[in-house]
């Protein structure tokens, strides 16, 4: 990849890739590692990209794959961190904080799908391509995630 195109990709996609990695990893240090790996793979890639959106989708796909690989690794399964501190965003309204906490308590597959749909604003078709699952599976995950969120938030409001 040319240096100019790479620099443009970094400046335009860095935030989205980092947010996706942080959502998957739940740890800023791991998310940074995943982002670094994704951009290294982009630099080494010989893929011909059609446009910036194609690059963005490719990077998010690599970030999701790297996050999953990180969670499957022997090291991750056998070692626990002494400081499992995550940087949580600060919200001006308590309802937003409760919703964020509820989304973070969802299982990974639902959390990823909710993040890509609501925060990154991808369509169901695009999420299906990114996660390499069917559109029906994406719709099912969103439906189940909403149901779980509804249950969690009802309990929080009572």
């Amino acid at each position: 990849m040319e240096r100019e195109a790479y620099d443009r990709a970094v400046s335009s996609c860095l935030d989205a890739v980092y947010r996706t990695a942080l959502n998957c990893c739940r740890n800023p240090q791991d998310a940074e590692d995943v982002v670094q790996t994704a951009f290294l793979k982009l630099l080494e890639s010989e893929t011909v990209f059609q446009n910036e959106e194609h690059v963005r989708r490719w990077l998010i796909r690599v970030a999701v794959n790297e996050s999953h690989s990180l969670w499957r690794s022997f090291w991750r399964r056998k070692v626990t961190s002494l400081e499992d501190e995550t940087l949580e965003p600060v919200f001006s309204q308590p309802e937003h904080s409760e919703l964020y906490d509820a989304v973070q308590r969802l299982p990974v597959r639902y959390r990823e799908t909710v993040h890509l749909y609501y925060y990154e604003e991808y369509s169901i078709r695009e999420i299906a391509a990114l996660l390499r699952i069917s559109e029906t599976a994406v719709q099912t995950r969103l439906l189940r995630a909403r149901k779980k969120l509804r249950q969690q938030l009802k309990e929080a409001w009572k």
Side-chain angles (χ1 to χ4, degrees), residues 53 57 60-61 109-110 112-146:
E53 184 60 26
R57 287 182 189 157
I60 288 176
R61 178 73 240 164
R109 62 178 22 177
Y110 300 139
E112 284 176 347
T113 310
V114 166
H115 176 79
L116 291 172
Y117 187 76
Y118 288 105
Y119 296 105
E120 299 301 327
E121 298 178 352
Y122 280 110
S123 69
I124 290 174
R125 175 173 285 144
E126 292 169 330
I127 295 170
L130 284 169
L131 298 179
R132 294 189 180 143
I133 57 176
S134 68
E135 290 180 32
T136 306
V138 172
Q139 291 171 334
T140 302
R141 286 182 184 185
L142 284 171
L143 181 72
R144 290 179 182 167
R146 289 181 193 121

Side-chain angles (χ1 to χ4, degrees), residues 9-30:
V10 169
S11 65
S12 67
C13 301
L14 182 62
D15 289 340
V17 175
Y18 179 75
R19 285 191 310 263
T20 302
L22 184 60
N23 188 294
C24 293
C25 296
R26 292 184 161 181
N27 180 321
Q29 293 80 16
D30 289 340

Side-chain angles (χ1 to χ4, degrees), residues 60-73:
I60 288 176
R61 178 73 240 164
V62 171
V64 168
N65 286 344
E66 287 298 318
S67 298
H68 289 175
S69 295
L70 185 68
W71 282 105
R72 284 191 305 262
S73 72

